[in-house]
Amino acid sequence: MFEVHCPYCNEKRPEIEFAYAGEAHIVRETKADELTDQEWAEFLFYRDNKRGDHHERWWHQHGCNMFFNAVRNTLTDKFVMTYKMGVKRPTKTQIKAAKNGK
Ligand SMILES: [Zn+2]
C-alpha cells in the first residue's frame, strides 16, 4: 500500500481512501451545439492515456471528500505531486523540481 498526499487535508493518507476521477484539466466545451458528432465524441471519450507523467483528478472519497489534481507517473505508479483544484497545470520544470524533492 502507498500513501497519497491530499492538498486539502495537507497530510499523506492511505491509497484506499482515494478514488481516481479521470484526466485533469479537461476544459468543458462551451459551444457543444456547433460541434460535429466526431468532435463531440472526442471531447467526451478521448483521453491522452499518456505513458509517464500524467495529470489526473483524484477524489479523497473516504476523507475530506474533496477533488484535487495530481501528477502521477504511469510507469512507476508513484505520485509526483498533488495540488488543489483551480491551480494551474504544473510546468515541466515544476514537475522536475518535485521529483527532486525541491
Ligand atoms: Zn483530503
Side-chain angles (χ1 to χ4, degrees):
M1 180 187 313
F2 60 88
E3 293 182 319
V4 179
H5 178 264
C6 174
Y8 293 99
C9 296
N10 199 25
E11 62 181 339
K12 287 187 173 185
R13 303 293 304 163
E15 65 173 300
I16 58 171
E17 293 186 6
F18 298 88
Y20 176 74
E23 187 175 326
H25 305 289
I26 302 293
V27 178
R28 182 180 290 265
E29 187 57 61
T30 57
K31 297 180 180 177
D33 55 337
E34 297 176 12
L35 298 178
T36 65
D37 288 346
Q38 180 62 35
E39 290 169 332
W40 182 242
E42 288 177 10
F43 166 71
L44 289 177
F45 303 113
Y46 286 37
R47 297 295 179 256
D48 283 347
N49 197 21
K50 193 174 173 185
R51 182 180 173 144
D53 294 333
H54 190 242
H55 294 78
E56 302 173 333
R57 182 176 294 167
W58 282 79
W59 177 26
H60 197 178
Q61 183 178 19
H62 300 291
C64 64
N65 203 31
M66 297 292 285
F67 285 87
F68 59 92
N69 290 327
V71 176
R72 185 179 62 88
N73 189 297
T74 58
L75 295 173
T76 62
D77 198 27
K78 292 191 181 206
F79 283 79
V80 177
M81 63 192 310
T82 59
Y83 51 101
K84 293 180 179 179
M85 300 299 288
V87 174
K88 282 188 173 181
R89 184 186 187 104
T91 64
K92 287 183 180 179
T93 304
Q94 290 171 315
I95 293 170
K96 189 175 181 179
K99 285 181 179 177
N100 293 328
K102 295 177 184 172

